[in-house]
């Protein structure tokens, strides 16, 4: 038996030290130390030994087992380290390689204009808002004093979402006026930005989707003078000191009196040039003093409070600022166009 044990120790240790991977090592463990393993088989024969022989043989068997176990563990560590080494080498990162360039994005010309206007109006104490693009026709029209029969309510002009013409895509940002009036406490200074929709054919100056800005002020003792003061201030901040404006009478159902504001062409100083299409003036926005009926419908007493409002198309402002000739370029998202800003 002694010889058997010594022979087993010799071959098994050799096999363990040359095991080429963890799986082979596990197989060797089973082969020698497992329940049906070779060492176990030898130990089962111990019963046949005499009482004198047994302790020495037991000791030898134990030391063979111990050294085999130790050898397996040692080989396992070696194999694991080699494995890790191999993986680290395979996954090595060469930090000296040139990186792939990340192309930085930038603001869309529309956002440049919107952000500039936000700055100006936040500076004058306005709160910024957006509001729903899918709007109730009540807010889009009725609450703005635009009753049934008004041409703007025609199906040919607006995108309705149901047969009864109750829901629609808003045609302007003005429905945010009654929405803000009925929810916010007075005084109000609101600047609303967002998309609007009208059934217009796409061409160089029209799009069924466009952006507007709405301004609304409601307080005590607000007059047309406040409207002119604030809008002149805005024009100076947008186009520089000395900017000349003019206010022409106009009609909007939700303001009385109403006007349109033009700025004198900053390119030609009013003489007429391609930028102002020879007119010397550039139409900027519609505005007016809030119609008392509009205030009343939103629960504001026109005896104690008054207000002014304006609405401005933003595409034209952006096109003018960046000399963009065709409105369609704004929405096509062609990188060659967008890269220029
Ligand atoms: N909502 C008008 C439009 O889309 C613009 C406008 C005019 C807004 C006068 C106003 C206003 O708030 O007072 O043409």
């Amino acid at each position: 038996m002694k010889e058997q044990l010594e022979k087993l120790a010799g071959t098994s240790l050799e096999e363990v030290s040359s095991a080429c991977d963890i799986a082979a090592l596990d197989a060797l463990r089973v082969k020698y130390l497992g329940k049906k393993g070779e060492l176990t088989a030898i130990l089962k024969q111990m019963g046949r030994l005499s009482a004198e022989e047994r302790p020495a043989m037991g000791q030898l068997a134990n030391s063979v087992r111990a050294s085999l176990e130790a050898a397996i563990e040692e080989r396992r560590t070696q194999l694991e380290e080699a494995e890790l080494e191999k993986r680290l080498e395979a996954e090595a990162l060469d930090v000296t390689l040139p990186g792939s360039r990340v192309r930085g994005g930038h603001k869309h010309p529309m956002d440049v204009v919107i952000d500039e206007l936000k700055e100006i109006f936040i500076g004058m104490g306005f709160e910024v808002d957006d509001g729903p693009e899918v709007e109730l026709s009540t807010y889009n029209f009725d609450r703005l004093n635009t009753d049934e029969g008004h041409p703007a309510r025609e199906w040919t002009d607006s995108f309705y979402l149901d047969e009864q013409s109750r829901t629609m895509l808003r045609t302007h940002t003005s429905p945010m006026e009654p929405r803000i009036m009925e929810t916010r406490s007075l005084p109000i200074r609101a600047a609303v930005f967002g998309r609007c929709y009208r059934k217009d054919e796409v061409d160089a100056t029209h799009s069924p989707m466009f952006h507007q800005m709405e301004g609304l002020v409601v307080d005590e003792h607000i007059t047309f003078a406040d409207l002119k003061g604030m809008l002149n201030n805005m024009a100076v901040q947008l186009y520089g000191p000395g900017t000349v404006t003019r206010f022409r009478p106009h009609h909007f159902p939700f303001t009385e009196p109403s006007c349109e504001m033009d700025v004198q062409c900053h390119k030609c100083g009013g003489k007429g040039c391609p930028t102002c299409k020879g007119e010397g003036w550039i139409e900027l926005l519609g505005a007016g003093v809030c119609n008392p009926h509009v205030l009343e419908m939103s629960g504001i007493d026109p005896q104690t409070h008054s207000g002014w409002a304006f609405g401005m198309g933003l595409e034209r402002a952006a096109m003018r600022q960046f000399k963009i000739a065709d409105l369609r370029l704004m929405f096509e998202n062609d990188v060659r166009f967008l890269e220029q800003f």
Side-chain angles (χ1 to χ4, degrees):
M1 182 179 264
K2 186 169 177 242
E3 275 161 26
Q4 265 182 310
L5 281 171
E6 279 166 355
K7 194 172 155 227
L8 180 140
T11 46
S12 64
L13 288 175
E14 201 168 302
E15 283 178 40
V16 165
S17 69
S18 57
C20 60
D21 57 31
I22 304 273
L25 199 61
D26 284 336
L28 287 172
R29 170 190 289 282
V30 174
K31 179 180 173 193
Y32 291 106
L33 301 173
K35 261 192 203 152
K36 293 178 182 160
E38 291 180 22
L39 183 61
T40 321
I42 297 175
L43 290 176
K44 276 184 186 155
Q45 298 165 25
M46 291 281 273
R48 284 197 237 139
L49 295 175
S50 66
E52 296 85 57
E53 282 175 310
R54 225 174 275 157
M57 215 44 77
Q59 234 175 16
L60 181 60
N62 278 336
S63 85
V64 169
R65 167 187 286 278
S67 56
L68 189 53
E69 280 175 348
I72 289 175
E73 273 325 296
E74 195 189 322
R75 186 65 188 150
R76 181 186 298 280
T77 315
Q78 281 174 2
L79 287 170
E80 280 172 354
E81 274 171 9
E83 183 109 329
L84 180 66
E85 200 61 35
K86 231 167 78 186
R87 251 186 51 209
L88 286 177
E89 217 162 284
E91 291 171 10
L93 193 69
D94 184 353
V95 293
T96 64
L97 279 175
S100 51
R101 233 178 112 193
V102 178
R103 285 174 69 186
H106 40 99
K107 278 191 206 168
H108 190 280
M110 200 70 241
D111 285 315
V112 175
V113 169
I114 288 177
D115 287 349
E116 198 175 341
L117 285 164
K118 280 183 185 169
E119 283 292 315
I120 293 173
F121 280 90
I122 287 170
M124 294 197 282
F126 282 61
E127 283 181 67
V128 172
D129 245 305
D130 45 21
E133 289 170 31
V134 173
E135 186 53 285
L136 296 170
S137 56
T138 315
Y139 285 104
N140 198 81
F141 294 126
D142 302 82
R143 294 282 295 277
L144 289 166
N145 207 28
T146 311
D147 295 330
E148 295 290 350
H150 193 281
R153 298 187 72 137
E154 293 295 326
W155 274 70
T156 46
D157 290 358
S158 305
F159 293 103
Y160 287 98
L161 301 179
D162 63 317
E163 293 287 322
Q164 291 75 38
S165 310
R166 276 206 303 265
T167 46
M168 60 188 302
L169 297 179
R170 68 177 174 194
T171 59
H172 48 180
T173 42
S174 304
M176 279 304 285
E177 290 188 24
R179 281 188 178 277
I180 288 170
M181 284 183 199
E182 69 183 11
T183 51
R184 211 170 287 170
S185 52
L186 297 166
I188 290 165
R189 282 182 184 197
V192 180
F193 296 83
R195 278 187 273 268
C196 308
Y197 304 83
R198 284 180 203 175
K199 281 189 181 168
D200 280 329
E201 293 294 332
V202 177
D203 65 23
T205 51
H206 291 89
S207 160
M209 190 277 290
F210 55 96
H211 293 73
Q212 277 195 349
M213 178 202 171
E214 193 82 11
L216 173 67
V217 172
V218 183
D219 202 347
E220 291 169 7
H221 315 300
I222 294 292
T223 68
F224 201 91
D226 297 289
L227 177 162
K228 284 183 79 173
M230 280 209 184
L231 290 181
N232 277 333
N233 185 352
M234 175 193 79
V236 166
Q237 290 195 57
L238 272 182
Y239 300 110
T243 300
V244 182
T245 59
R246 89 179 166 190
F247 293 80
R248 280 179 292 105
H250 202 82
H251 170 75
F252 297 105
F254 33 95
T255 42
E256 184 59 42
S258 303
C259 63
E260 280 191 333
M261 179 177 119
D262 305 332
V263 284
Q264 197 167 60
C265 180
H266 50 288
K267 278 270 128 53
C268 62
K271 285 193 210 76
C273 72
T275 302
C276 58
K277 297 196 190 97
E279 295 195 359
W281 295 90
I282 297 166
E283 184 191 316
L284 209 57
L285 52 87
V289 172
C290 295
N291 189 311
H293 186 45
V294 170
L295 296 178
E296 221 162 35
M297 281 189 283
S298 293
I300 294 172
D301 182 355
Q303 298 301 324
T304 58
H305 286 82
S306 50
W308 68 269
F310 75 93
M312 174 162 56
L314 299 180
E315 273 75 10
R316 279 200 206 163
M319 287 167 75
R320 207 175 306 126
Q321 182 163 339
F322 296 112
K323 301 198 190 73
I324 300 165
D326 194 321
L327 175 65
R328 288 168 283 203
L329 289 166
M330 302 282 277
F331 305 123
E332 281 170 355
N333 283 341
D334 187 328
V335 175
R336 290 167 302 180
F337 166 76
L338 295 173
E339 262 173 356
Q340 299 172 43
F341 307 99

